[in-house]
Amino acid sequence: MALVSCTEDYLDVKPTAFVTPEQVDQVAEYDPTILNGYINGVYSTMYTDGMGGTTGHDDFGQKGIDIYTDMLCGDMALSRSGYGWYRNLTRLTATVDFTRNENYVPYRFYYKVIYGANNVIKSQGGNDAVPTEDEARFVLGQAKALRAYAHFYLQQLYATEYIASEKSVPIKIDLTNFATPRSTSQEVMNQVVKDLEEAIVLLDGYVRPQGDKTSVNQNVAKVLAAYAYAYIGDATSLAKARDYAKDVADNSGASLMSSGEVVGGFNSVTSNSWLWGVDIKKDMGFDLISWWGQMDYYTYSYQWAGDRKAMDSGLFAKILPNDIRRTQFRSNVASTASTYLIPWNKFYHPAKEIGGQRNIETDVVLSRVEEMYLLYAECAAKTGQEANAIAYLKTLLSNRFVNAADYAYVDALTGQALLNEIYLQTRIELWGEGKSYLAMKRNKATTKRGTNHLSFQGVDIPYNDGRLTFDIPQAEVLNNPNL
């Protein structure tokens, strides 16, 4: 019902394939379940290729953006380039040219999600509606969470850093006018947390269908809220981020991956650590243009064919010898080999046949509970609760080492040394999952690319270097008269 199409010459024209909110509202009076179909159409934009408005093989929704950000922060190296995808991104030339698709794809994708969410919100009576029926309440909560998620990522990608008074991206919550001016970073984040706080209340009692992890439930909304407050970063916001992260870590019912699961392929939503993910089926038709195509050596596509995405060699060198996560990456070959440090034992199709998966059937992870252990540790340390931070960090590490003596050094860490360790463990644990860029900006970090990058080897690049942030694309500049 809610598949999206737009003309190619105008970024924010009303997608004509959306059923109107008025039509949905009328039908929902007779069949409330129609609302689920409507919100599912919005979710489909998150993992379908071309949702950034191009035919590029790097344009496939959220997981495509995850690769962009992992490369920009330097933790993911493009160690070999045969087909050219991501090359201008890693050269840091694409982000400073507003005519490039690399700037256009995230912008169009996230505003497409926002437009779909706004349609759902409008169908339920608008921004201030308070539905009394559970079906409508749950759908409205999901729509507000999705709108917040999209605005949050736009803020991350198009604002160099969080400076409250500086101009950022347009907030698009006006359900009748999409050509809105740029807002300040504070205004954007105020809207993000407002939507998320309302979503958390609306989603109280919502239980996803058996086996479904695509839709946003209350735990996912709390994850998004934790990230949003941690990014704002003042004392009050850090305390809120800390409490939300702890709530999810303790009470979501999810469990940390065991050592065996950490090298188990990251390929199924049945993992009890996954809080949010997409169950991919063969009949969805995904193949070359997909996250698995770009990342998995055992899928018939770019990682197999020669466009290598690998862990930054400097980051790999910091993984301790007995850490199970060290075995996620191919390190037992000469540093000049083309497959050096690719994640061939982290992300893989279960058959493990090199280049074997042609039609994608492996699932994609959007969020897992380990993130909340690490984010809680970070925010607890930043708010003076260092003992709690150490306890949660060690709980995670106990599932990555056999011998507790290997990570006992954490007990002695305090202050910036403790924060540095939490940041390092975040980068190691969540490598390739699109979270390192967020951590880099939260922690105001400077990164240095290792020897297996094709560009800027050994160069210090601070988090607020303008080349690590996208430009508002030409199409929006030309066609939004209020920008």
Side-chain angles (χ1 to χ4, degrees):
M1 288 185 61
L3 293 178
V4 186
S5 65
C6 296
T7 60
E8 293 188 0
D9 59 340
Y10 184 37
L11 185 65
D12 290 325
V13 70
K14 181 177 180 179
T16 56
F18 271 112
V19 178
T20 69
E22 293 78 13
Q23 290 171 322
V24 172
D25 190 35
Q26 291 167 8
V27 176
E29 291 181 15
Y30 303 97
D31 181 7
T33 61
I34 198 70
L35 298 172
N36 293 324
Y38 201 40
I39 194 71
N40 287 342
V42 183
Y43 285 120
S44 72
T45 67
M46 294 178 60
Y47 54 84
T48 302
D49 58 85
M51 289 296 102
T54 76
T55 58
H57 291 197
D58 57 350
D59 180 359
F60 42 85
Q62 179 59 49
K63 299 306 291 182
I65 310 305
D66 287 348
I67 295 176
Y68 276 12
T69 59
D70 278 344
M71 287 187 167
L72 283 179
C73 74
D75 283 358
M76 182 181 292
L78 183 67
S79 60
R80 180 179 174 186
S81 178
Y83 296 88
W85 298 110
Y86 307 105
R87 188 69 187 99
N88 288 313
L89 192 75
T90 60
R91 287 187 178 120
L92 303 182
T93 56
T95 49
V96 294
D97 179 356
F98 80 153
T99 68
R100 296 281 312 182
N101 276 343
E102 288 86 348
N103 296 296
Y104 180 72
V105 166
Y107 199 85
R108 180 162 177 151
F109 163 64
Y110 286 116
Y111 280 118
K112 199 171 280 189
V113 172
I114 289 168
Y115 185 87
N118 280 343
N119 267 355
V120 174
I121 292 167
K122 187 176 181 181
S123 77
Q124 295 311 298
N127 289 314
D128 299 323
V130 184
T132 56
E133 297 293 328
D134 282 351
E135 198 82 46
R137 181 164 58 87
F138 297 154
V139 167
L140 182 60
Q142 291 174 67
K144 288 197 171 186
L146 287 173
R147 185 169 72 179
Y149 139 81
H151 277 122
F152 171 71
Y153 268 93
L154 286 162
Q155 168 69 26
Q156 294 284 323
L157 299 180
Y158 292 90
T160 303
E161 58 183 312
Y162 182 71
I163 299 176
S165 61
E166 287 197 356
K167 290 291 186 181
S168 177
V169 295
I171 298 172
K172 305 206 176 185
I173 63 167
D174 185 334
L175 306 182
T176 61
N177 176 27
F178 220 49
T180 52
R182 294 171 68 198
S183 300
T184 65
S185 289
Q186 184 175 41
E187 289 168 337
V188 173
M189 292 310 298
N190 283 349
Q191 184 61 49
V192 167
V193 298
K194 180 178 185 295
D195 275 346
L196 288 171
E197 292 289 4
E198 291 175 359
I200 289 167
V201 173
L202 289 164
L203 290 168
D204 187 36
Y206 172 59
V207 178
R208 295 184 291 202
Q210 184 69 30
D212 167 41
K213 290 187 180 178
T214 303
S215 56
V216 172
N217 62 6
Q218 192 179 57
N219 284 321
V220 173
K222 289 177 180 178
V223 167
L224 296 172
Y227 275 125
Y229 282 121
Y231 170 70
I232 295 170
D234 60 66
T236 300
S237 297
L238 285 171
K240 289 181 178 179
R242 178 196 67 208
D243 294 345
Y244 273 130
K246 187 176 189 300
D247 186 12
V248 175
D250 292 350
N251 302 315
S252 64
S255 57
L256 293 170
M257 283 184 167
S258 66
S259 294
E261 289 175 306
V262 164
V263 291
F266 283 74
N267 51 36
S268 176
V269 294
T270 60
S271 170
N272 197 51
S273 82
W274 288 25
L275 298 166
W276 197 18
V278 184
D279 185 6
I280 303 295
K281 306 293 186 184
K282 272 188 176 181
D283 59 12
M284 292 179 175
F286 300 126
D287 44 45
L288 294 175
I289 309 174
S290 65
W291 183 87
W292 284 96
Q294 288 287 1
M295 291 297 299
D296 179 27
Y297 191 53
Y298 301 99
T299 293
Y300 180 86
S301 193
Y302 290 102
Q303 181 77 300
W304 163 74
D307 275 2
R308 307 291 192 216
K309 293 88 180 173
M311 176 177 260
D312 171 81
S313 60
L315 178 58
F316 180 78
K318 295 178 181 179
I319 306 177
L320 296 176
N322 294 331
D323 189 333
I324 187 67
R325 295 170 299 186
R326 193 174 178 88
T327 68
Q328 292 175 329
F329 303 93
R330 191 176 193 189
S331 59
N332 60 340
V333 292
S335 61
T336 55
S338 70
T339 57
Y340 180 59
L341 296 186
I342 66 169
W344 75 333
N345 206 32
K346 180 172 184 178
F347 308 120
Y348 57 81
H349 182 267
K352 273 200 164 183
E353 177 187 347
I354 297 173
Q357 179 180 218
R358 182 61 186 264
N359 301 112
I360 307 301
E361 59 184 352
T362 37
D363 303 335
V364 293
V365 60
L366 297 172
S367 184
R368 57 188 175 100
V369 76
E370 283 82 355
E371 298 169 32
M372 293 299 98
Y373 276 78
L374 289 160
L375 190 60
Y376 170 72
E378 178 185 315
C379 294
K382 288 177 177 177
T383 55
Q385 298 182 9
E386 291 190 343
N388 292 337
I390 289 169
Y392 274 70
L393 180 59
K394 288 180 68 177
T395 298
L396 185 143
L397 294 177
S398 70
N399 289 274
R400 306 296 176 256
F401 293 89
V402 173
N403 190 340
D406 287 328
Y407 55 91
Y409 68 92
V410 172
D411 287 320
L413 299 177
T414 61
Q416 191 59 49
L418 176 58
L419 286 171
N420 291 344
E421 183 65 23
I422 295 167
Y423 177 51
L424 172 62
Q425 294 303 327
T426 299
R427 295 168 65 198
I428 295 170
E429 177 69 25
L430 303 176
W431 185 92
E433 299 176 50
K435 302 301 188 295
S436 293
Y437 184 86
L438 309 183
M440 176 191 71
K441 287 203 165 183
R442 285 196 312 271
N443 290 282
K444 302 183 185 301
T446 294
T447 58
K448 180 182 290 187
R449 293 187 180 184
T451 57
N452 59 335
H453 287 260
L454 297 178
S455 304
F456 300 106
Q457 297 176 5
V459 176
D460 287 333
I461 304 176
Y463 75 99
N464 57 357
D465 187 309
R467 296 171 298 174
L468 302 187
T469 301
F470 293 90
D471 277 351
I472 291 179
Q474 182 183 42
E476 178 78 346
V477 173
L478 294 177
N479 293 297
N480 182 349
N482 298 317
L483 188 64

